[in-house]
């Protein structure tokens, strides 16, 4: 039961500003592939065909979607207009900082990422110089594009506080804890030349990469259609997690929720960077798999890629089972607390799932209070470059909220 339903409550009346309030929800439906035709949009918005027609025409006039009214191959019945993201529409710059480099790409609506550019980290990784390199790489892509650029967002491998946007425990780059990363990035984005077609002023945002990957999977990948999506991932080192509830990231009171890496899964286990033993972080990441297999990774090659190879190696199955059992214990603890309706695994955890899907599912089910009667689907992540796609979601957020703000005057 909703607490209050104001004048904007669902109904078939056309209020004066009803069209404008529907623009954001309508664009979000096309953006996430949930409204491929105008008749689907009409039903999803619970409005008349005339209202849905006016809303889609307005989104088309804003240059965000295309409305194709040609009959779809001579089928029977009344053809519905097809709605698509305008391929020549505006873009945002999406960037991701990794421990060993920078990735940047332009992204349109609809989760459409242009091929990313990967750059090495600059020699100096102090916050200002590193964020300047990120902003300038994004601006160079924007200048080279014929599409308007409307915003910029950055995925970071460390926790980011909300709402002030400071970076905590940015150990990869030895940044001081509390570095005002959102402000510094905004300053560098403002100074960078995004070309004559860019919107001015130019919004920017930063967030944690696991959170953004979860958002990407929920909107465009393995989490589509689920209400409560838990994402757990292991990159080169450590383990991250994120939760999307009813389409929104659950980030806690200060942006720091879902720090799942420090759940204890083996009190006698490996030492973790947090000082404890046997955290999910130190028991289920690439190094843990190598340790369980009694092997040493090649220091010259990316650790995650080597660990993925090891997870698929039949001769390492005992080590895979050792790590899968601990991953299952951690997931079970999370399921008992969060009760998700889907778990999406990415990074090395995706490969562990592929190597031992039944074993992982049964460890989780055995340890879940309700797991024996209803298993939570555990599925592999689907989105390529999920951190970048998620960063694009962050950059698009103001426009999904108010599509008319794509206009240079801010919607007048
Ligand atoms: Zn720990």
């Amino acid at each position: 039961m909703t607490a209050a339903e104001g004048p904007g409550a669902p109904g078939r009346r056309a209020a004066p500003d009803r069209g404008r309030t529907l623009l954001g929800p309508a664009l979000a439906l096309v953006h996430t592939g949930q409204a491929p035709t105008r008749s689907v949009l009409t039903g999803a918005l619970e409005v008349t065909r005339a209202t849905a027609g006016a809303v889609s025409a307005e989104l088309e006039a804003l240059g965000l979607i295309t409305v194709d009214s040609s009959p779809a191959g001579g089928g029977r019945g009344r053809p519905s207009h097809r709605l698509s993201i305008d391929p020549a529409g505006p873009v945002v710059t999406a960037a991701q900082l990794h421990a060993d480099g920078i990735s940047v790409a332009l992204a349109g609506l609809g989760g459409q990422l242009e091929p990313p550019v990967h750059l090495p980290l600059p020699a100096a990784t102090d916050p200002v110089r590193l964020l300047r390199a990120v902003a300038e790489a994004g601006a160079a892509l924007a200048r080279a594009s014929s599409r308007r650029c409307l915003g910029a967002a950055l995925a970071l491998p460390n926790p980011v506080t909300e709402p002030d946007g400071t970076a905590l425990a940015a150990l990869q780059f030895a940044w001081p804890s509390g570095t005002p990363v959102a402000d510094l990035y905004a300053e560098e984005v403002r100074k960078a030349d995004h070309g004559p077609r860019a919107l001015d002023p130019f919004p920017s945002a930063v967030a944690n990469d696991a959170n953004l990957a979860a958002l990407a999977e929920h909107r465009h990948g393995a989490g589509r259609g689920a209400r409560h999506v838990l994402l757990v991932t292991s990159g080169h080192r450590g383990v991250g997690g994120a939760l999307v509830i009813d389409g929104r990231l659950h980030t806690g009171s200060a942006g720091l929720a879902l720090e799942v890496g420090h759940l204890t899964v083996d009190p006698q286990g490996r030492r973790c960077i947090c000082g404890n033993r046997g955290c999910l972080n130190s028991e289920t990441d690439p190094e843990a798999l190598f340790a369980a297999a009694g092997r040493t990774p090649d220091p010259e090659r990316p650790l995650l890629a080597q660990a993925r190879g090891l997870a698929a190696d039949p001769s390492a199955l005992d080590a895979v089972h050792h790590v899968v059992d601990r991953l299952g214990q951690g997931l079970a603890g999370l399921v008992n607390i969060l009760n998700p309706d889907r778990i999406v695994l990415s990074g090395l955890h995706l490969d562990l799932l592929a190597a031992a899907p039944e074993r992982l599912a049964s460890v989780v089910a055995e340890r879940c209070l309700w797991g024996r009667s209803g298993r939570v689907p555990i599925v592999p992540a689907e989105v390529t470059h999920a951190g970048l796609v998620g960063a694009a979601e962050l950059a698009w957020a103001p426009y999904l909220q108010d599509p008319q703000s794509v206009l240079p005057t801010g919607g007048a």
Side-chain angles (χ1 to χ4, degrees):
M1 196 68 66
T2 52
E5 290 202 338
R12 292 187 173 262
R13 290 164 292 113
D17 63 347
R18 181 139 174 74
R20 177 157 188 181
T21 63
L22 288 171
L23 285 177
L27 182 59
L29 287 164
V30 180
H31 169 63
T32 53
Q34 296 176 87
T37 65
R38 210 169 69 182
S39 69
V40 175
L41 182 70
T42 304
L45 292 176
E46 297 182 311
V47 295
T48 61
R49 287 179 54 221
T51 301
V55 166
S56 45
E58 173 67 11
L59 291 175
E60 186 176 40
L62 290 169
L64 298 173
I65 71 168
T66 58
V67 182
D68 179 4
S69 57
S70 59
R76 267 175 254 141
R78 194 205 310 262
S80 181
H81 295 63
R82 285 187 300 256
L83 307 179
S84 313
I85 295 301
D86 187 339
V91 289
V92 294
T93 71
Q96 183 166 13
L97 265 181
H98 314 271
D100 57 356
I102 302 168
S103 302
V104 193
L106 296 179
L109 283 163
Q112 294 163 356
L113 200 68
E114 293 192 2
V117 173
H118 303 286
L119 306 167
L121 291 178
T125 60
D126 63 274
V128 169
R129 268 182 276 197
L130 189 41
L131 295 168
R132 181 172 302 155
V134 173
E136 287 179 350
L141 294 181
R143 284 198 305 277
S145 174
S146 60
R147 300 165 72 180
R148 286 178 72 211
C149 191
L150 298 182
L154 169 63
L156 290 165
N158 47 266
V160 178
T161 61
E162 291 175 354
D164 46 341
T166 67
L168 301 183
L171 306 173
Q172 296 89 340
F173 316 118
W175 290 354
S177 200
T179 294
V181 66
D183 290 346
L184 293 173
Y185 182 56
E187 177 68 11
E188 297 304 327
V189 166
R190 191 185 60 74
K191 287 194 286 196
D193 175 11
H194 289 79
R197 288 172 300 277
L199 191 69
D200 186 29
F202 198 94
S204 72
V206 301
N208 169 259
D209 55 8
N211 279 346
L212 292 175
L215 203 55
E217 290 293 341
H218 181 263
R219 295 193 181 164
H220 304 292
R224 267 165 92 156
R227 285 192 57 208
H228 293 210
V229 180
L230 171 68
L231 175 121
V232 179
T233 181
S234 177
H236 292 275
R237 275 190 179 73
V239 171
L243 181 70
V244 177
I245 301 176
D246 289 332
R248 291 181 176 275
L249 274 171
H250 173 78
T251 53
S253 60
L256 304 175
L258 275 296
E259 197 58 67
V260 303
H262 304 285
L263 277 175
T264 304
V265 292
D266 180 359
Q268 266 71 54
R270 287 156 50 78
R271 180 72 74 184
C272 179
I273 50 161
C274 73
N276 294 323
R277 280 193 179 277
C279 295
L280 193 62
N281 208 54
S282 54
E283 291 293 325
T284 69
D285 77 344
E287 280 189 351
L289 180 60
F290 273 96
R295 300 191 198 179
T296 309
D298 178 353
E300 300 299 313
R301 293 172 48 219
L303 183 60
L304 177 58
Q306 294 182 71
R308 295 189 130 161
L310 187 56
D313 181 346
S315 73
L317 195 59
D318 286 348
V320 167
H321 286 173
H322 176 91
V323 177
V324 159
D325 289 351
R326 281 150 184 76
L327 177 60
Q329 282 199 35
L331 294 180
L334 292 166
V335 168
N336 286 333
I337 296 167
L338 303 170
N339 187 14
D341 56 345
R342 200 174 303 168
I343 298 173
V344 177
L345 298 183
S346 92
L348 176 62
H349 292 172
L350 184 156
D351 303 271
L352 294 172
L353 171 66
E358 273 310 308
R359 188 178 181 109
L360 181 61
S362 58
V363 173
V364 174
E366 275 164 22
R367 292 179 173 270
C368 283
L369 293 177
W370 51 275
R372 292 181 191 85
S373 57
R375 286 186 169 190
V376 193
I378 304 173
V379 300
E382 289 176 2
V383 177
T384 309
H385 304 300
L388 289 174
V389 173
E393 291 300 313
L394 190 63
W396 282 118
Y399 305 104
L400 290 166
Q401 198 68 234
D402 178 11
Q404 287 183 325
S405 60
V406 304
L407 297 171
T409 50

